[in-house]
Amino acid sequence: MKRTVIGGFIMFGGLFITLTIIVVATLYIPNMRSWSGSQLWYAIFGDIQYGNESVQSLFLGFPFVIGVLLAILGLVILVIEYLEKSFLK
């Protein structure tokens, strides 16, 4: 039971981080004047700066990836706990 709660908190923490960054990026999109590729992807991860060009990005790629990894880790813990309880009965 303890590992289930821990896995749930890790998963929801990762989802909270990831979804918060997505919401912030979508709110930032109307303020961007130039981008390359997907606007949402560019707002989160950014791109290489060329010369004096100003890059209009939030540069939240690292926390976004950490949030995704935490969500996946929590989900794996929950699946392992579910399978252990199912097969041990």
Side-chain angles (χ1 to χ4, degrees):
M1 179 68 178
K2 191 189 313 184
R3 284 187 277 183
T4 304
V5 172
I6 291 171
F9 274 114
I10 290 173
M11 185 182 76
F12 286 123
L15 287 175
F16 181 75
I17 292 169
T18 303
L19 293 176
T20 302
I21 291 173
I22 289 173
V23 168
V24 167
T26 55
L27 292 174
Y28 182 71
I29 284 175
N31 298 328
M32 292 180 3
R33 291 186 198 100
S34 64
W35 63 88
S36 61
S38 169
Q39 282 183 325
L40 183 63
W41 188 265
Y42 188 84
I44 294 173
F45 288 96
D47 200 6
I48 300 171
Q49 183 176 357
Y50 298 108
N52 293 332
E53 175 188 28
S54 64
V55 178
Q56 296 179 345
S57 175
L58 298 173
F59 293 108
L60 294 174
F62 183 71
F64 184 80
V65 170
I66 295 297
V68 169
L69 291 176
L70 284 174
I72 292 171
L73 176 68
L75 185 63
V76 167
I77 291 171
L78 290 175
V79 167
I80 289 171
E81 285 300 307
Y82 175 74
L83 292 176
E84 281 182 358
K85 289 180 182 178
S86 295
F87 291 120
L88 291 178
K89 286 187 177 181

